Amino acid sequence: VSSLSWGLFHALLGIGLVSGGTAALNEVMEWESDGRMRRTAQRPIPAGRFSMLHATLVGTLMTLGGALYLGLALNPLTAWLALGTSAVYLGAYTPLKKVSPICTFVGAFPGAMPGVLGWTAARGQLEWGALVMFAIVFFWQFPHFYSIAWLYRQDYEDGGIRMLPVVEPDGKSTGRQILIYSLALIPISLLPAFLGMSGKLYFAGALVLGIALFYVGGRLVSLKLATGNARSKQRARQLLQATVFYLPLLFALMMLNPK
């Protein structure tokens, strides 16, 4: 087995442990809200399959153990970045969800870190390429998570989660955010071609994908309907599906068409 394969194994295992542990601790912090929302009511703690103590121990051990594993198997930079990502997610994003819609913006920072962690795991240092990977995922998250919040607005309201569609149910501000970030994503996604990370095929594909995503978001916004409207929910679901396809296709193009 090559050193590259072992490096990939170490990165996936370590980052997976930190991510899983952080998710478990997030569920510990939000078990009451989870129990009030249909989409999360069957999670282990509100459903009674895990005790709070059990979940806290498992989450803590996974998070700290994963970071330690990354530091020993790969490099300290990746370990500290992974631990910092977990800290921001749990210390800022999770509590802010019950306070203000700014939680989506704050949560986009830890949410955009997987590509950075993969980069530092492979190269051992932060470079412009890592920042580009961060920026792509950062901007992509807004149409992705706003479409989810649009679809599950009532669920979030029941759980006391102050996502933007909950605070302003007419959908106007949410629609503007979707369009702004989708439009900004287009030039951001083209940067790999200018930085020598990928070639002309990637450039063309990223441009088409970016315009398509913006178009799907525009179709939702053009309805000028409230978030609770059935037709607007149908288009929000289409936007969610578009975001789910967008990111893996973009990264596949990046891998298939290196510079």
Side-chain angles (χ1 to χ4, degrees), residues 193-253:
F194 292 103
L195 292 177
M197 296 168 60
S198 56
K200 294 179 180 178
L201 177 62
Y202 168 84
F203 181 91
L207 185 60
V208 170
L209 287 170
I211 292 171
L213 185 64
F214 180 75
Y215 169 76
V216 176
R219 288 180 76 244
L220 167 61
V221 177
S222 67
L223 289 177
K224 297 181 180 179
L225 295 172
T227 54
N229 181 275
R231 195 172 173 213
S232 78
K233 284 189 173 183
Q234 181 185 28
R235 295 233 175 141
R237 190 172 299 279
Q238 291 170 353
L239 176 59
L240 175 59
Q241 292 168 342
T243 62
V244 169
F245 281 107
Y246 173 89
L247 206 58
L249 286 175
L250 186 78
F251 287 152
L253 276 172

Side-chain angles (χ1 to χ4, degrees), residues 2-48:
S2 68
S3 59
L4 178 61
S5 298
W6 277 115
L8 178 60
F9 172 82
H10 294 319
L12 290 174
L13 179 57
I15 295 170
L17 284 170
V18 175
S19 301
T22 302
L25 292 173
N26 176 73
E27 291 187 25
V28 169
M29 296 172 69
E30 294 191 318
W31 72 273
E32 289 181 302
S33 296
D34 285 348
R36 294 197 297 267
M37 298 191 292
R38 284 185 302 169
R39 60 189 290 266
T40 56
Q42 291 306 309
R43 285 180 173 175
I45 299 175

Side-chain angles (χ1 to χ4, degrees), residues 138-178:
F138 182 87
F139 282 88
W140 165 85
Q141 286 177 95
F142 292 90
H144 177 70
F145 284 113
Y146 281 139
S147 62
I148 294 174
W150 194 297
L151 283 168
Y152 296 101
R153 190 201 70 80
Q154 188 60 54
D155 225 12
Y156 281 122
E157 185 174 4
D158 292 343
I161 307 297
R162 296 181 63 80
M163 300 294 281
L164 189 55
V166 173
V167 175
E168 61 91 29
D170 64 12
K172 291 180 181 178
S173 295
T174 307
R176 281 197 300 270
Q177 293 288 309
I178 288 171

